Every structure is written in structure tokens, then in C-alpha cells.
């Protein structure tokens, strides 16, 4: 089980993590929470209806990582559209973002918090580390956060396609991006094995 998720009887998944791995995942999840930011109602706790009626932003985030986590809903995958079509896509994306981004952020925050809480609840084993056991619901939350972490790191590394990923394997050890690359690849392995535990 070391380093890979395995299915648990009755649903869920388990993985053995050492102390360093636990620390890395927890640190990355905390950074993700800080990047996503607080919810709209967290600034005004005395008004319980504020969050219900809060509208989200209408413009894409300026941070490239947040743009990757919260992309435009309407865009032309084939390239640059005509000016009129591009303007329509921006308008549709803006409207969609206004009504959905707060909920998307809340979901990503919930997933990251679930990841942190499950790590904080671990009981260490004699030789260090711990075995993380997740329910089916926790597995889905972890899967969401692992995906968000990889998107965030991939954005910082400027990974846009499979060819970029292949280049990561050939980075020299002295390259300052190497630790981030190692985290990106390791999280990918965790994500892949967690997905396999959720397959019927």
C-alpha cells in the first residue's frame, strides 16, 4: 500500500503515508485554501442571508493559477474566434462566472478542508507515518483537491499539454523547479490510484 491508494471493503480507499508526505500534502492544501480565499459570507457573519444572495465576480481572476482553477465557461477551443463571437463568449462567461464562481470556490474550500482534517486526525504508527483511510465521500473530496493541487502546480510550471509533462522527467536535479515537479508527479500518481479505487 505505500504510496498508492487501495480500495477498502465497502467503499473508500486507504494509503500509507510517511511523515514527510503528510506534511507536504497538508502544506499544499493550506496554500490552496489561502489562494482560493474566504467565502463571501465569511466577512459578514452577522448577516446569514448575505452569502445566499451574494454574486460572484464577473471577470476572470488575474492570478494565472486561479484562472486555471476557475476558467471561463465559454471559449473557443479551436483558436481565436471572430470579434463578435469573442465578445459574446466573454459576455456569456462573465454572466456564468457571476452566478457560479462562489459555489465553485466553496466546493474547492470544502474539499481542501476535508483533506486537512483527515490528515490532522491520523494516528501515527510505530515506524512513523500513518495509514490514511477515507470513506467514499472523503475519497471524492480528496480526488477534487488532488486535481486542484495539480492544476495549481501545473499552472506555476506552465504545463499546458502532455509534451510539457514529458519534459519534466528530463529536468536536471539543480533546476529550481525540480521540487515542484516532483510534487506534481507524485500527486498525479496518488490521484491516478485514487481514481482506480472509485471505479466499479
Amino acid at each position: 500500500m505505500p504510496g498508492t491508494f487501495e480500495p477498502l471493503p465497502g467503499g473508500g480507499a486507504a494509503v500509507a503515508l510517511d511523515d514527510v508526505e503528510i506534511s507536504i500534502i497538508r502544506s499544499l492544501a493550506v496554500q490552496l485554501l489561502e489562494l482560493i480565499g474566504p467565502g463571501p459570507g465569511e466577512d459578514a457573519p452577522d448577516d446569514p442571508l448575505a452569502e445566499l444572495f451574494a454574486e460572484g465576480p464577473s471577470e476572470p481572476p488575474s492570478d494565472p493559477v486561479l484562472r486555471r482553477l476557475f476558467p471561463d465557461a465559454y471559449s473557443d477551443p479551436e483558436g481565436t474566434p471572430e470579434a463578435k463571437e469573442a465578445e459574446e463568449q466573454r459576455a456569456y462567461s462573465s454572466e456564468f462566472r457571476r452566478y457560479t464562481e462562489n459555489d465553485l470556490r466553496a466546493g474547492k474550500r470544502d474539499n481542501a478542508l476535508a483533506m486537512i482534517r483527515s490528515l490532522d486526525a491520523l494516528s501515527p504508527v510505530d515506524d512513523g507515518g500513518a495509514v490514511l483511510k477515507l470513506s467514499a465521500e472523503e475519497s471524492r473530496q480528496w480526488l477534487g483537491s488532488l486535481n486542484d493541487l495539480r492544476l495549481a502546480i501545473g499552472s506555476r510550471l506552465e504545463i499546458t499539454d502532455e509534451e510539457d509533462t514529458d519534459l519534466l522527467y528530463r529536468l536536471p536535479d539543480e533546476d529550481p523547479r525540480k521540487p515542484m515537479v516532483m510534487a506534481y508527479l507524485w500527486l498525479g500518481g496518488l490521484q491516478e490510484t485514487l481514481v482506480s479505487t472509485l471505479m466499479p
Side-chain angles (χ1 to χ4, degrees):
M1 182 189 314
T4 61
F5 277 99
E6 293 184 7
L8 289 174
V15 63
L17 298 169
D18 65 32
D19 292 335
V20 172
E21 292 169 332
I22 292 167
S23 176
I24 290 170
I25 296 173
R26 190 183 189 291
S27 173
L28 290 171
V30 167
Q31 290 175 56
L32 181 63
L33 275 175
E34 291 170 353
L35 182 67
I36 293 169
E42 291 175 34
D43 294 333
D46 54 335
D47 185 359
L49 296 177
E51 187 171 346
L52 183 63
F53 295 107
E55 290 184 2
S58 57
E59 294 299 318
S62 58
D63 185 309
V65 175
L66 288 174
R67 272 200 311 273
R68 189 86 177 263
L69 292 173
F70 304 103
D72 277 335
Y74 300 92
S75 62
D76 184 357
E78 299 300 317
T80 308
E82 297 294 322
K84 183 179 180 207
E85 188 181 338
E87 189 178 325
E88 286 177 353
Q89 287 177 0
R90 277 193 297 276
Y92 293 147
S93 290
S94 175
E95 194 72 1
F96 186 82
R97 181 180 298 279
R98 205 173 92 195
Y99 292 109
T100 61
E101 187 169 312
N102 285 344
D103 287 341
L104 290 173
R105 282 180 184 261
K108 291 180 185 301
R109 267 193 304 276
D110 290 346
N111 290 344
L113 281 169
M115 178 179 266
I116 292 166
R117 287 179 182 133
S118 60
L119 291 171
D120 288 349
L122 287 175
S123 301
V125 292
D126 292 339
D127 56 349
V131 175
L132 174 70
K133 293 182 180 180
L134 303 173
S135 67
E137 176 58 27
E138 289 169 330
S139 294
R140 285 187 283 278
Q141 290 177 304
W142 264 71
L143 193 56
S145 264
L146 285 171
N147 187 60
D148 289 341
L149 289 172
R150 291 193 77 238
L151 283 173
I153 295 171
S155 180
R156 290 287 187 238
L157 292 170
E158 299 178 351
I159 297 169
T160 56
D161 56 33
E162 195 62 38
E163 201 171 289
D164 292 335
T165 305
D166 293 340
L167 293 173
L168 298 180
Y169 289 100
R170 296 193 289 274
L171 276 181
D173 289 341
E174 59 273 10
D175 192 300
R177 296 171 295 171
K178 190 73 172 190
M180 228 182 344
V181 166
M182 298 304 292
Y184 178 82
L185 297 173
W186 172 59
L187 292 172
L190 284 177
Q191 184 180 17
E192 189 176 323
T193 59
L194 183 54
V195 166
S196 69
T197 69
L198 297 172
M199 302 293 258

